[in-house]
Amino acid sequence: QVQLVESGGGLVQPGGSLRLSCAASGSIFSIYAMGWWRQAPGNERELVARITSGGITNYADSVKDRFIISRDNAKNTVYLQMNSLQAEDTAVYYCYAEVPGPRYWGQGTQVTVSS
């Protein structure tokens, strides 16, 4: 079992920044990648960013050059630094962990970009 606890969401003005955190606990040795998905009202859930245990990253085209995913192995935590936020980034952001078997998900954190 893996538990994921997210933090860092909130309300920010267009052009602002936020940093999301996702702390993993439990059977963390089984995790080979972690990342963030998001879902806006009426939209499908989409992958935002992913980082492997080896540090390889990939991003959705819509967030490249604005978002940065990183990890602190000592803290078993993954971060998503979100810069130049736009109204279109408004969504619930979900942290997830890839393991052999079904993925684990966090509870979700709301990010709202509005003036």
Side-chain angles (χ1 to χ4, degrees):
Q1 292 285 335
V2 173
Q3 293 78 43
L4 302 173
V5 178
E6 301 150 344
S7 60
L11 173 65
V12 64
Q13 293 187 343
S17 298
L18 280 176
R19 189 177 80 157
L20 305 182
S21 301
C22 177
S25 61
S27 302
I28 58 174
F29 60 87
S30 64
I31 299 173
Y32 55 84
M34 292 181 67
W36 297 86
W37 287 65
R38 67 185 181 186
Q39 187 166 23
N43 291 357
E44 294 185 355
R45 192 174 291 194
E46 65 170 344
L47 177 64
V48 177
R50 176 180 182 267
I51 185 167
T52 70
S53 57
I56 297 172
T57 60
N58 58 283
Y59 298 89
D61 288 342
S62 58
V63 306
K64 279 180 182 177
D65 301 324
R66 298 190 298 123
F67 291 9
I68 301 171
I69 189 169
S70 61
R71 62 191 298 156
D72 184 334
N73 291 330
K75 296 182 178 180
N76 301 317
T77 299
V78 171
Y79 303 97
L80 185 68
Q81 178 66 43
M82 305 185 293
N83 302 317
S84 302
L85 283 161
Q86 305 164 359
E88 297 73 34
D89 297 314
T90 296
V92 178
Y93 285 70
Y94 297 91
C95 175
Y96 81 102
E98 294 181 29
V99 300
R103 293 173 178 172
Y104 290 95
W105 295 90
Q107 78 280 6
T109 186
Q110 177 70 46
V111 172
T112 302
V113 184
S114 175
S115 56

